[in-house]
Amino acid sequence: MALGLSSARDVALNVLQRVDVHGAYADISLDSFLTRFSPSPPDRALATELVYGVCRRRNSLDWAVESVSSRPVSKMTPWVRNALRMGAYQLLYLDRIPAAVATSETVDLVKKYGHAGTVKFANAVMRALASRVRQLRAELTPATVAEDATVATGVAGAPITPDVRRLSLVYSHPEWLVQHFIEELGMAGAMAFMESDNSVPPLAVRANTLRITVDGLRARLATEGIDAEPCRYAPDGLVIAPGAPYAVLSAHRDGLMQAQDEGSMLVAYALEPRPGEFVVDACAAPGGKTTHVAQLMRNRGRIVACDIHLQRLGLVRELCDRLGVTIVEELACDSRDLGSCLGGGTEVDRVLVDAPCTGLGTLRRRPDARWRKEARDATRMAELQLGILLSAARCLRRSGVLVYSTCTIGRTENQDVIEEFLKREPQFVVDDVRPALPAALRGDVSPRGWLQLLPHRHGTDGFFICRLRKVSAGG
């Protein structure tokens, strides 16, 4: 077979090895291997399940392996460690795979990438795991934890409690992140959020209404054997089956649709751009929101798409070309100095700041990312976010609209950034975003005027959206 890889499990192991040892991103590495390997649909599905499943459940899997192993996971060679993680995942989370198959396939992989001693060790570990599957599954069942369980809230560097450690094991999230979610969402909310993090996210696509109606796209997809249902909130959105061959569909090739989470779609609606206006997307790449804004403007007006990385602006151009968007200009720019980039005295009708963030609202799509994050990241990102917001504010005309969004969960990067911005820029107010949103979401807008979308509540990624308006000429 191509690349000398003998099976879907072999592909998955090579991807996990790169993630574990070289810090590769699971989605990019997996896509690369699947493109080169061209497996059958069942093998493609199994390799995808194993890669994402192991990344999601890494904490739980390591605990299970160490419960029967004579050595800690950290002391194993990376090939053996990841082969055993895959084997444990099949035993604990994939009922359709017999224990004997999971064991023998894991041992075969260790034979290929290890030596006689590691083969004997892996065989013993897998047999021990198989004998204890029922007990291990019971211990990893979501715990019943009271709303008033012990957890220090609002205290920087607070000690991790037994309840947090337990939830970290059950839901396979870093302990600091468990505590963060409890502080932000409460115990029940944190548990529901993490449960959602461990699920397969929906695949939403946005109909390119410059070329086709939503109903027309749905019919087109049906001719390609793809069932699609309307999104819960986004009028232009459809949900198709996860794992559908999205990128090879003719509807994609012909520029009739773009993959985009429903929460991401709602950001452009909140901006409420109009045909003929001058709009700036301050953090545009890879262009999903930029092209949606152009779509809502009916491809009439002017959009300047900014990004600090010239290479990433190439992605915006590619997307515009595929979708037939002609009103976007790319501008390599550090958006903390947006005024200078645009030219002194430029006044803009609307600015979208979809700010760089910790991305805690998208962990179900990037399960390996939960192990890369650190608690201090939010403070660093908030400084950058505020700088971009302040710069964007100075480019707006009076009565202009500024939408701030992130795909994360937490006051530091969301509410606190808005509150600090309003202190520094008193000529701005929080604008009522409800009329721009679908009716079903208007009740979820907070009394302060912002919207926090949550995967377990709304089915979208975890987006924060706040709309601001410049009410005076100062600044």
Side-chain angles (χ1 to χ4, degrees):
M1 278 183 145
L3 304 178
L5 303 184
S6 59
S7 67
R9 291 176 176 83
D10 205 347
V11 170
L13 180 59
N14 275 268
V15 173
L16 290 169
Q17 173 78 358
R18 281 156 177 74
V19 172
D20 188 14
V21 177
H22 304 293
Y25 293 105
D27 55 346
I28 296 174
S29 184
L30 177 62
D31 285 347
S32 174
F33 268 86
L34 293 179
T35 299
R36 294 162 62 197
F37 181 47
S38 299
S40 66
D43 279 351
R44 182 185 186 93
L46 178 57
T48 301
E49 173 73 35
L50 290 173
V51 169
Y52 285 121
V54 168
C55 287
R56 288 187 185 102
R57 300 289 185 175
R58 194 183 82 180
N59 201 30
S60 305
L61 297 173
D62 287 356
W63 168 83
V65 169
E66 289 185 345
S67 72
V68 299
S69 171
S70 59
R71 72 190 73 162
V73 168
S74 61
K75 299 296 184 182
M76 300 175 188
T77 68
W79 289 108
V80 172
R81 175 168 62 240
N82 286 296
L84 288 175
R85 284 171 173 167
M86 281 174 47
Y89 181 76
Q90 293 168 77
L91 290 174
L92 293 170
Y93 296 104
L94 297 183
D95 290 332
R96 68 182 183 274
I97 296 179
V101 172
T103 298
S104 64
E105 292 285 350
T106 300
V107 172
D108 285 345
L109 284 174
V110 175
K111 283 181 184 176
K112 182 174 181 179
Y113 295 102
H115 52 77
T118 57
V119 170
K120 183 177 180 181
F121 170 73
N123 186 53
V125 170
M126 287 300 297
R127 289 181 178 278
L129 281 171
S131 70
R132 293 187 58 194
V133 163
R134 188 170 298 179
Q135 176 190 348
L136 293 170
R137 284 180 175 174
E139 292 191 49
L140 290 172
T141 299
T144 301
V145 182
E147 280 286 341
D148 60 351
T150 304
V151 57
T153 59
V155 180
I160 299 298
T161 69
D163 285 323
V164 169
R165 291 193 183 94
R166 169 68 177 160
L167 292 175
S168 173
L169 173 62
V170 169
Y171 290 105
S172 193
H173 282 67
E175 291 176 349
W176 74 265
L177 197 49
V178 174
Q179 181 145 322
H180 172 76
F181 288 144
I182 293 172
E183 293 176 357
E184 295 293 338
L185 304 172
M187 184 62 70
M191 293 169 68
F193 183 93
M194 290 186 290
E195 184 69 28
S196 177
D197 259 359
N198 288 330
S199 65
V200 178
L203 175 54
V205 297
R206 167 172 54 84
N208 179 14
T209 55
L210 299 176
R211 290 180 169 172
I212 196 170
T213 65
V214 177
D215 288 341
L217 176 60
R218 193 176 182 185
R220 173 69 173 267
L221 289 171
T223 68
E224 301 193 57
I226 303 296
D227 292 329
E229 297 295 331
C231 280
R232 184 175 173 185
Y233 305 111
D236 295 340
L238 294 171
V239 177
I240 62 179
Y246 162 79
V248 300
L249 297 174
S250 67
H252 174 268
R253 183 187 64 242
D254 295 342
L256 305 182
M257 66 179 186
Q258 170 61 21
Q260 187 174 6
D261 178 73
E262 189 174 7
S264 175
M265 293 185 217
L266 293 169
V267 174
Y269 295 120
L271 186 66
E272 220 172 10
R274 297 168 184 168
E277 290 187 329
F278 180 13
V279 177
V280 169
D281 186 347
C283 310
K289 297 179 186 69
T290 311
T291 52
H292 193 195
V293 170
Q295 179 177 310
L296 296 178
M297 294 170 66
R298 298 179 223 159
N299 206 28
R300 289 162 42 201
R302 180 188 180 197
I303 300 174
V304 174
C306 302
D307 198 273
I308 196 169
H309 300 292
L310 184 61
Q311 184 177 6
R312 283 176 55 80
L313 283 173
L315 301 175
V316 178
R317 175 44 48 198
E318 290 175 10
L319 185 56
C320 287
D321 290 344
R322 183 171 63 81
L323 299 180
V325 171
T326 60
I327 64 170
V328 172
E329 308 163 20
E330 301 85 41
L331 177 64
C333 170
D334 183 337
S335 290
R336 289 171 293 186
D337 193 20
L338 198 56
S340 296
C341 294
L342 294 173
T346 301
E347 288 195 333
V348 178
D349 295 303
R350 297 172 197 265
V351 179
L352 171 59
V353 176
D354 183 52
C357 67
T358 52
L360 300 183
T362 63
L363 294 180
R364 59 181 182 167
R365 297 191 186 279
R366 302 176 181 90
D368 52 315
R370 70 184 71 178
W371 310 111
R372 306 177 197 272
K373 307 293 183 183
E374 296 181 358
R376 62 186 178 183
D377 292 344
T379 301
R380 177 176 54 85
M381 296 306 300
E383 182 178 351
L384 172 62
Q385 292 153 355
L386 181 61
I388 296 173
L389 259 185
L390 292 169
S391 176
R394 297 178 186 118
C395 300
L396 271 173
R397 64 168 176 81
R398 185 173 179 178
S399 299
V401 170
L402 171 58
V403 166
Y404 176 74
S405 66
T406 71
C407 56
T408 198
I409 311 296
R411 290 194 58 87
T412 299
E413 296 179 81
N414 294 328
Q415 296 95 319
D416 289 353
V417 170
I418 295 298
E419 297 287 9
E420 183 61 28
F421 171 79
L422 292 172
K423 289 178 185 177
R424 299 198 191 188
E425 298 289 347
Q427 72 274 24
F428 279 81
V429 296
V430 175
D431 199 30
D432 188 0
V433 73
R434 287 172 296 182
L437 295 175
L441 276 175
R442 292 171 190 170
D444 291 332
V445 175
S446 75
R448 290 288 288 116
W450 41 67
L451 173 66
Q452 177 70 71
L453 298 167
L454 296 167
H456 61 283
R457 186 179 302 166
H458 303 101
T460 67
D461 287 347
F463 269 88
F464 175 87
I465 303 172
C466 181
R467 174 170 155 148
L468 302 146
R469 185 178 292 276
K470 191 172 187 176
V471 294
S472 67

